[in-house]
Amino acid sequence: MKNSNNSTLLTRNHLGKVTDDERLAQNDYLEVVKAFARLTYESIYVINYETMTFEYVSENPLFLCGYSSAEVMALGYDFYFKNVPESDLKLLHSINEAGFDFFENLPGEEKIQYSITYDFYLVNRDGRKILINHKLTPLLLTREKKMWKAMCVVSLSHHKSPGNVCIHKQGSDTIWELDLKDKVWGTSEKPKLTKREIEVLHLYAQGLSIQEIAEKVSVSPDTVKYYRRQIFDRLNVSTIAEALSYAVNSKIV
């Protein structure tokens, strides 16, 4: 696989020598990643920060931009430079710097519990731009607790513009949000829905109409519309599709 000098422009996570013991501890983790990729509609790929290459890329077409998975693996970091607009490449550089600075300040093994999510444009071979959501979480750490390998998940973004940089910790309701202008992390709490709002959202996910949802939960259609407005306000979205995407991505439902 290609190890491009371009990779240094997009990541400041550079490893020293990885020991033989650490390599043996990997086991067959890639088989687990591949199994997960078979079960999800999202695109999955693995970054190896030792070699600055992509170690695995799933067959899902969203991330591939018209290439085969083998071609994307061969391109490695050059894939970004071929398929991400210049303005978004600068955005990715800023996110990388801020993200790894945040990561470096976390204590030891706790680092594995964090993930970062953000949005940027990919450009297909036909020139069509797609705003995607990109999530990254540590897969393997070195003995020095540096990120050795990371798993990335790509899906369509529910936002309307790039950025939207957040860090989540497993089991925590705290969200760290990056102010891209000042490069400062602020904190907020994950939005919460009531049991009835979650129930209504589940029924929307099943494709039910407002009238059908009203009959299911024994309320009037106007009450269902009220719940829908509450959901939109709490999640800061404007459509049910956006609400479902946000709720799933944020593990609210």
Side-chain angles (χ1 to χ4, degrees), residues 111-124:
K111 293 178 177 181
I112 211 81
Q113 299 174 21
Y114 287 78
S115 59
I116 186 170
T117 175
Y118 46 90
D119 301 319
F120 63 92
Y121 279 107
L122 285 176
V123 182
N124 278 308

Side-chain angles (χ1 to χ4, degrees), residues 230-250:
Q230 289 292 97
I231 292 168
F232 289 175
D233 288 345
R234 293 185 199 280
L235 303 186
N236 192 28
V237 298
S238 55
T239 68
I240 279 295
E242 290 176 355
L244 286 168
S245 177
Y246 185 100
V248 170
N249 287 336
S250 301

Side-chain angles (χ1 to χ4, degrees), residues 119-182:
D119 301 319
F120 63 92
Y121 279 107
L122 285 176
V123 182
N124 278 308
R125 278 179 162 175
D126 61 7
R128 184 167 53 96
K129 289 171 63 176
I130 302 174
L131 187 64
I132 60 104
N133 176 253
H134 188 277
K135 301 182 188 67
L136 182 151
T137 193
L139 195 57
L140 292 172
L141 302 178
T142 66
R143 187 171 295 171
E144 288 76 28
K145 307 309 176 193
K146 287 184 173 290
M147 196 184 306
W148 177 11
K149 299 183 182 183
M151 185 163 73
C152 304
V153 178
V154 177
S155 58
L156 290 172
S157 172
H158 69 270
H159 290 108
K160 294 179 174 61
S161 59
N164 314 302
V165 189
C166 296
I167 286 177
H168 302 263
K169 182 185 179 185
Q170 183 178 3
S172 172
D173 286 335
T174 299
I175 300 173
W176 290 264
E177 299 175 270
L178 179 63
D179 182 326
L180 285 164
K181 181 179 178 181
D182 297 328

Side-chain angles (χ1 to χ4, degrees), residues 15-35:
L15 304 185
K17 181 177 174 56
V18 176
T19 68
D20 291 339
D21 288 344
E22 287 172 317
R23 294 187 198 285
L24 288 173
Q26 291 182 77
N27 297 321
D28 294 325
Y29 78 93
L30 263 185
E31 294 307 312
V32 177
V33 174
K34 292 175 183 178

Side-chain angles (χ1 to χ4, degrees), residues 168-202:
H168 302 263
K169 182 185 179 185
Q170 183 178 3
S172 172
D173 286 335
T174 299
I175 300 173
W176 290 264
E177 299 175 270
L178 179 63
D179 182 326
L180 285 164
K181 181 179 178 181
D182 297 328
K183 309 291 178 62
V184 174
W185 292 98
T187 59
S188 63
E189 292 297 308
K190 183 188 297 184
K192 290 182 172 63
L193 301 179
T194 66
K195 289 183 179 179
R196 179 49 62 89
E197 288 163 356
I198 290 174
E199 182 181 12
V200 168
L201 202 53
H202 283 163

